[in-house]
Amino acid sequence: MSAFFNDSLLLYNESAKKLYHEVKDLPIIDYHCHLDQTKIAQNSSFADIGELWLAGDHYKWRAMRLNGVDEYYITGNASYKEKFLKYAEIVPNLIGNALYYWTHLELKQIFGIDMPLNASTAERIYELANQKLKDLTVQELLKSFKVEFIATTDDPVDGLLDHKNYGDLKVTPTFRPDKLFAFEREYIAKLADSANMQICSLTDLLTALSCRLDYFVQKGCRMADHGMEQFPLGYATKEEAEALFNKIGGLNQEEKERLKGFILVWLCKQYAKRDITVQLHFAVTRNVNPQTFGVCGPDSGFDVISELPTVSNLIEFFNKIPDEERPQTVIYTLNDGNLSSIACLTGAFRKVRMGAAWWFNDTVEGIRRNLKIISEYSSLGNNLGMLTDSRSFSSYCRFDFFRRILCDYVGNLVEKGEYDGESAVELVKNICYYNAKRMVE
């Protein structure tokens, strides 16, 4: 029997272990996350591990609800110690869950703790972790993981005051205009203020978006991002879009879809002009429980995998943008039921590639499945590897988690004589670091 969370975790053959040795110490390019850049700028510290882990981690919140923990200990007014102890109680129930791996990788790599977390060890681990945290700040934590580049997620109206270099770390914004597509006058007024102009027409709206995009680029922006349940169900012409803009405040759902389609296509062409890579996240339904959403608010663990997106829906979108006008595009589906069809699509349109196993798929088997499907139906060699997609500064253990699974997948093919070892080294290095580095440079 192997020792608990030993150095060979998830590495099941000698080739996998050799490949992991080549990539385990590579720097990190986190090209998609939800970290608070203000905490980086202020070089914040943490009162205790309960705050670090449970102040805003909806993965853990969901797991606690699944195991019957009262909301008082999740998003309620319990102390962080009480919340940590309640989380520790349910950890043994999470066998096979990505959280079980992340929890123990974080304990080992951040705090030097190699004992399993459970009700009986919780008090001791809490004390040991907090002793370590006394001397650990946000910037020091990021430096320990060799994080070189962070792309936060930002609304077009955000001020971006803290996006800059912090020593060897570059913190940049990501342009994410999801709130625009509700087409509410209040938001458009905020956009106008941020662009220092009035928005009275569609032309004004596009000018304001262009202005804000240029500001984001000045702040180092290399990425854009859109999250949606599905791609637009219609695409207005410019003339139709102008008429629809004049009806803002009174648009029906079909009209919103058509106006969204026009603006999304226009934005993608603008990204291409500025050499910005766009990430498209789809097949998610948000805030499905009105009762708990009303109490806890968004990003609290009430989003779910939606129905399968139709490939024809994606094809229609990509056909709206000629190859020469399309930005570099990364696509992520939360519902991987037809992942092979979506991966196959990347071979039909230039500058489109598959992203990492997203969110609920970010598990051992979900990552393996993602790697296998991309290998078979697309191209694994130009994959951008891992990202945190997280609000937690301790989440950088997820890169190690991914690197181990990747090396085991590729190493297994080497062991069987189906792939050569020399190419394998270059492949895993590119996926773990160099592909993403070339994208953001």
Side-chain angles (χ1 to χ4, degrees):
M1 182 176 70
S2 298
F4 181 73
F5 270 70
N6 60 46
D7 292 340
S8 297
L9 178 72
L10 298 171
L11 302 169
Y12 298 112
N13 56 67
E14 288 305 312
S15 293
K17 294 172 185 177
K18 290 178 182 178
L19 291 173
Y20 175 69
H21 180 75
E22 296 285 344
V23 301
K24 66 184 180 68
D25 294 322
L26 286 175
I28 286 174
I29 307 292
D30 190 5
Y31 54 92
H32 177 68
C33 74
H34 300 273
L35 294 179
D36 182 351
Q37 65 275 4
T38 302
K39 290 185 178 180
I40 301 175
Q42 295 173 348
N43 198 19
S44 300
S45 56
F46 300 94
D48 63 39
I49 189 174
E51 179 187 5
L52 177 64
W53 273 11
L54 294 160
D57 191 335
H58 56 80
Y59 286 87
K60 292 185 178 71
W61 294 351
R62 283 174 61 92
M64 293 168 79
R65 292 188 190 108
L66 279 165
N67 284 276
V69 176
D70 190 273
E71 197 67 31
Y72 174 74
Y73 298 101
I74 303 173
T75 59
N77 293 324
S79 69
Y80 282 124
K81 180 176 182 179
E82 291 175 306
K83 292 179 178 181
F84 176 82
L85 295 179
K86 284 294 183 181
Y87 176 66
E89 288 178 12
I90 64 99
V91 167
N93 291 346
L94 303 180
I95 180 173
N97 191 295
L99 269 176
Y100 192 85
Y101 290 91
W102 298 342
T103 292
H104 290 98
L105 285 172
E106 289 175 23
L107 285 176
K108 185 171 184 177
Q109 295 180 7
I110 298 174
F111 302 103
I113 298 171
D114 59 7
M115 67 180 83
L117 179 62
N118 52 50
S120 62
T121 62
E123 285 277 2
R124 180 59 178 155
I125 288 175
Y126 183 78
E127 293 174 3
L128 291 172
N130 287 345
Q131 189 65 34
K132 176 76 171 181
L133 280 178
K134 288 181 180 179
D135 302 316
L136 192 62
T137 65
V138 166
Q139 290 187 26
E140 289 168 346
L141 181 59
L142 296 174
K143 185 176 181 180
S144 71
F145 282 109
K146 300 181 181 178
V147 183
E148 282 187 353
F149 181 96
I150 290 175
T152 62
T153 301
D154 309 276
D155 191 277
V157 305
D158 289 348
L160 312 183
L161 299 179
D162 296 317
H163 291 86
K164 56 185 178 182
N165 292 352
Y166 298 89
D168 295 330
L169 170 64
K170 186 172 186 177
V171 180
T172 67
T174 294
F175 191 84
R176 181 157 178 167
D178 289 5
K179 291 180 181 178
L180 168 67
F181 297 114
F183 297 119
E184 296 176 351
R185 292 189 182 279
E186 182 180 358
Y187 179 82
I188 292 175
K190 290 181 181 179
L191 179 61
D193 288 343
S194 69
N196 196 27
M197 60 177 289
Q198 293 185 329
I199 298 178
C200 302
S201 66
L202 177 67
T203 298
D204 291 342
L205 176 66
L206 301 183
T207 299
L209 289 170
S210 182
C211 173
R212 295 304 295 170
L213 258 176
D214 288 339
Y215 178 66
F216 269 62
V217 171
Q218 290 173 20
K219 288 290 187 174
C221 175
R222 301 292 293 115
M223 311 295 295
D225 183 39
H226 294 264
M228 63 194 88
E229 184 166 356
Q230 59 188 350
F231 284 81
L233 299 178
Y235 297 87
T237 64
K238 185 174 183 180
E239 293 73 20
E240 291 170 337
E242 289 171 344
L244 291 172
F245 178 86
N246 293 331
K247 290 179 61 179
I248 279 182
L251 295 171
N252 60 36
Q253 189 57 41
E254 180 183 355
E255 290 171 330
K256 286 183 179 180
E257 285 288 320
R258 292 181 62 77
L259 182 56
K260 176 183 177 180
F262 171 83
I263 294 175
L264 182 58
V265 168
W266 180 87
L267 279 170
C268 284
K269 293 178 179 179
Q270 296 300 309
Y271 300 150
K273 290 178 181 178
R274 294 166 174 80
D275 195 26
I276 291 174
T277 297
V278 63
Q279 301 175 88
L280 301 172
H281 291 84
F282 51 93
V284 56
T285 301
R286 299 187 182 276
N287 308 318
V288 299
N289 187 328
Q291 178 182 353
T292 47
F293 172 69
V295 175
C296 303
D299 303 318
S300 298
F302 305 109
D303 304 334
V304 300
I305 299 169
S306 75
E307 296 177 0
L308 289 171
T310 64
V311 174
S312 59
N313 192 223
L314 278 70
I315 291 172
E316 183 180 13
F317 169 74
F318 285 119
N319 271 322
K320 293 292 180 181
I321 309 171
D323 285 345
E324 64 273 12
E325 296 183 73
R326 184 178 303 114
Q328 293 293 331
T329 304
V330 188
I331 56 177
Y332 309 79
T333 178
L334 197 55
N335 190 330
D336 66 356
N338 63 351
L339 188 60
S340 57
S341 298
I342 295 172
C344 181
L345 179 144
T346 62
F349 297 96
R350 286 191 177 274
K351 306 176 187 175
V352 181
R353 62 178 124 184
M354 291 296 303
W358 178 36
W359 199 343
F360 296 117
N361 302 310
D362 191 11
T363 64
V364 173
E365 292 306 318
I367 292 172
R368 285 176 179 158
R369 183 165 57 251
N370 186 263
L371 295 172
K372 185 174 187 294
I373 294 296
I374 293 174
S375 297
E376 294 177 349
Y377 292 89
S378 186
S379 172
L380 187 60
N382 68 347
N383 189 263
L384 297 170
M386 193 54 174
L387 43 84
T388 61
D389 191 23
S390 176
R391 292 167 175 78
S392 172
F393 286 98
S394 61
S395 292
Y396 284 99
C397 291
R398 297 181 190 180
F399 276 78
D400 184 67
F401 180 65
F402 171 84
R403 288 173 179 180
R404 289 173 181 272
I405 298 169
L406 171 69
C407 289
D408 185 69
Y409 173 76
V410 176
N412 186 50
L413 295 178
V414 173
E415 288 284 312
K416 294 189 293 185
E418 297 177 18
Y419 195 65
D420 72 279
E422 185 175 343
S423 296
V425 171
E426 182 178 5
L427 181 88
V428 296
K429 283 183 174 180
N430 282 335
I431 295 171
C432 290
Y433 176 64
Y434 291 102
N435 288 345
K437 184 175 179 64
R438 283 188 283 267
M439 175 181 66
V440 301
E441 284 181 336

